[in-house]
Amino acid sequence: MIKAFFYIRMKQFIRTMKELGIVRMLFLLILFIFLVVAVFEYTSDSPHVYVTVLIYMAGIITIQLNRKDLAFLETRIHHYKRILIVEYMVLAIPLIAGLLYNHYYGMLILALVSVVLIPNIGKVPRVGIPNKLFLQWIPDDCFEWKAGIRKAFVWIVLIWTIGVATPFSLGTVPLAIVILGIIISGFYEYGEPLPMVLAFEKSNRRFLSHKITMHIKLFSVLSVPLICAFIAFHPDKWYIPVAAYLIFLSLHCYIILTKYAFYEPNTKSRASQTFGLIGILGVFIFLLLPVVWILAIYFYFKSKENLNFYLNDYY
C-alpha cells in the first residue's frame, strides 16, 4: 500500500509538470536552484541559520495543518506517519544539505527531530463563530475571507491578540503580520463556482479591481491596529511593520492574480498553487521579490484573458 501511495504521488507530480508546460518547468527549475543557493547562504552564519530553520519548519507545519488527505491516510494505511516523515524529509533536503555543508550539526539534529515530530500534529478543532459578532462585518462578496476565517478563526484571533497585547516587544507585531499574511494567502486556493463569478456582473478588469480593492481594505483592517500599537512603543522603527504589511499586501494581490490566471470553476489549480508558493518564498528571500512583482504584472494580463472567456457579456 505504501509503495502504491508513492506511485500515486509520482503520477500527481508528473501530471502537475505537464500542466505547467516546458517554459514554466524551466522557470521553476531555475527558481529551485536559486532557492537551494539561498538556503546554503542563509545557513552559513548566525543568526540567519536560526531564522531559516524556523521558517522552514513553519512551512512544513503549515503543510501538515492544511493537508486534505490525513483522514484517508489514517484509515487506509498502517503506519501512515512514516509516509509523512518521508515526504517532509524530501522537502527538507535543501535545508539538511545546507546545515551539513555549513557544519551546523546542532541545528541539523533539531531540524530532523522536528520533521519526525511534525506528523504528530493534528488539526486544530474548528470553533463556531457567532455571525453577528464577526462574519457580518465581512461583505458577502468577499466569500474567500468568510470561508477562510471560519477555518482559521482560532489561529487568527490568537495571533492577532498576542500581537496587540505585546507591542512592547520589537518582534511580536512584525511576526504576527507575517503569520497572518501567510494564513490569509491560503484563502484563495480554490476556484469558486462560475455563478459566483458571474454574480458580480463586471468586466474582467473591474472584477479584478474589485477583488484586489476589497482585499486591501480587509487586510488593512486586520493589520493597521497592529501597526499602530507597534509605533506607539517603537516610533523610530515604524518602517518594520509597515514594510511587512506592504510586502504581504503585494503578495496577496499576486496570489489573487495567479488564482484567476489559472481559474477554472470548482477546481484547485496546481499551477496557481505552485506560483503562489513562489510568491511566499519571495517574502523570505528578498532577491525573489522583484521576480514576484514582475510575475504579478504578467498574471494580471493573463487573468484578464482567462476571465474574458467567462465575463465577456459584461463589457
Side-chain angles (χ1 to χ4, degrees):
M1 186 65 182
I2 293 178
K3 184 184 294 186
F5 179 82
F6 283 115
Y7 175 76
I8 293 172
R9 277 283 185 262
M10 181 60 66
K11 297 288 285 185
Q12 289 175 333
F13 177 78
I14 294 173
R15 189 186 309 123
T16 301
M17 291 299 102
K18 288 181 179 179
E19 289 179 5
L20 290 174
I22 296 177
V23 175
R24 296 194 187 104
M25 282 174 57
L26 291 174
F27 178 74
L28 290 176
L29 178 61
I30 293 171
L31 284 179
F32 176 74
I33 294 171
F34 185 85
L35 172 64
V36 171
V37 173
V39 169
F40 271 70
E41 178 64 25
Y42 283 120
T43 55
S44 62
D45 60 359
S46 60
H48 298 101
V49 62
Y50 309 120
V51 176
T52 302
V53 173
L54 177 63
I55 292 173
Y56 217 106
M57 292 302 107
I60 295 178
I61 290 173
T62 302
I63 293 173
Q64 169 71 9
L65 292 174
N66 287 282
R67 292 187 70 126
K68 307 298 183 184
D69 59 351
L70 287 180
F72 170 80
L73 293 174
E74 187 174 359
T75 55
R76 301 294 180 181
I77 300 179
H78 192 52
H79 300 307
Y80 74 97
K81 290 181 181 178
R82 295 178 184 175
I83 292 177
L84 303 182
I85 291 173
V86 171
E87 289 184 341
Y88 297 154
M89 283 290 183
V90 172
L91 290 176
I93 285 175
L95 179 66
I96 293 170
L99 294 172
L100 276 172
Y101 180 80
N102 292 298
H103 308 294
Y104 276 95
Y105 301 116
M107 295 304 297
L108 174 63
I109 293 172
L110 177 62
L112 293 174
V113 171
S114 299
V115 169
V116 172
L117 294 178
I118 285 173
N120 295 292
I121 299 176
K123 288 185 176 293
V124 177
R126 294 187 182 181
V127 177
I129 309 173
N131 289 337
K132 292 183 179 179
L133 291 178
F134 295 99
L135 296 182
Q136 68 169 348
W137 300 109
I138 302 175
D140 291 336
D141 54 359
C142 298
F143 44 81
E144 296 96 343
W145 274 77
K146 285 181 178 286
I149 287 178
R150 284 193 183 98
K151 290 194 300 182
F153 176 71
V154 173
W155 290 110
I156 290 173
V157 171
L158 178 63
I159 293 163
W160 191 89
T161 303
I162 292 173
V164 169
T166 59
F168 47 82
S169 176
L170 186 63
T172 52
V173 167
L175 184 60
I177 293 175
V178 168
I179 296 174
L180 289 173
I182 293 174
I183 293 173
I184 291 169
S185 67
F187 287 3
Y188 297 93
E189 289 182 335
Y190 290 94
E192 62 269 25
L194 182 57
M196 299 180 75
V197 174
L198 299 177
F200 286 86
E201 297 185 355
K202 297 180 183 293
S203 66
N204 51 11
R205 181 184 60 81
R206 292 177 60 214
F207 177 84
L208 291 172
S209 176
H210 178 76
K211 282 286 184 181
I212 291 173
T213 301
M214 293 305 299
H215 179 86
I216 291 173
K217 291 179 179 178
L218 290 171
F219 187 61
S220 297
V221 168
L222 203 61
S223 302
V224 168
L226 292 168
I227 295 173
C228 292
F230 180 92
I231 293 175
F233 285 88
H234 310 282
D236 57 324
K237 300 289 195 303
W238 62 269
Y239 54 87
I240 297 177
V242 171
Y245 163 73
L246 292 176
I247 288 173
F248 270 96
L249 205 55
S250 67
L251 169 65
H252 294 157
C253 293
Y254 164 82
I255 287 176
I256 291 171
L257 293 173
T258 60
K259 171 187 175 180
Y260 290 107
F262 300 99
Y263 169 77
E264 291 182 12
N266 303 306
T267 61
K268 186 176 182 179
S269 170
R270 295 184 184 275
S272 178
Q273 284 182 286
T274 303
F275 283 103
L277 179 60
I278 292 171
I280 294 175
L281 290 176
V283 172
F284 300 107
I285 304 173
F286 293 126
L287 292 177
L288 273 178
L289 203 53
V291 176
V292 173
W293 291 335
I294 293 171
L295 284 174
I297 297 172
Y298 167 74
F299 285 131
Y300 171 73
F301 292 103
K302 185 172 175 59
S303 297
K304 288 180 62 178
E305 180 182 354
N306 189 38
L307 288 172
N308 185 54
F309 178 76
Y310 305 101
L311 301 175
N312 60 350
D313 291 337
Y314 299 106
Y315 277 91

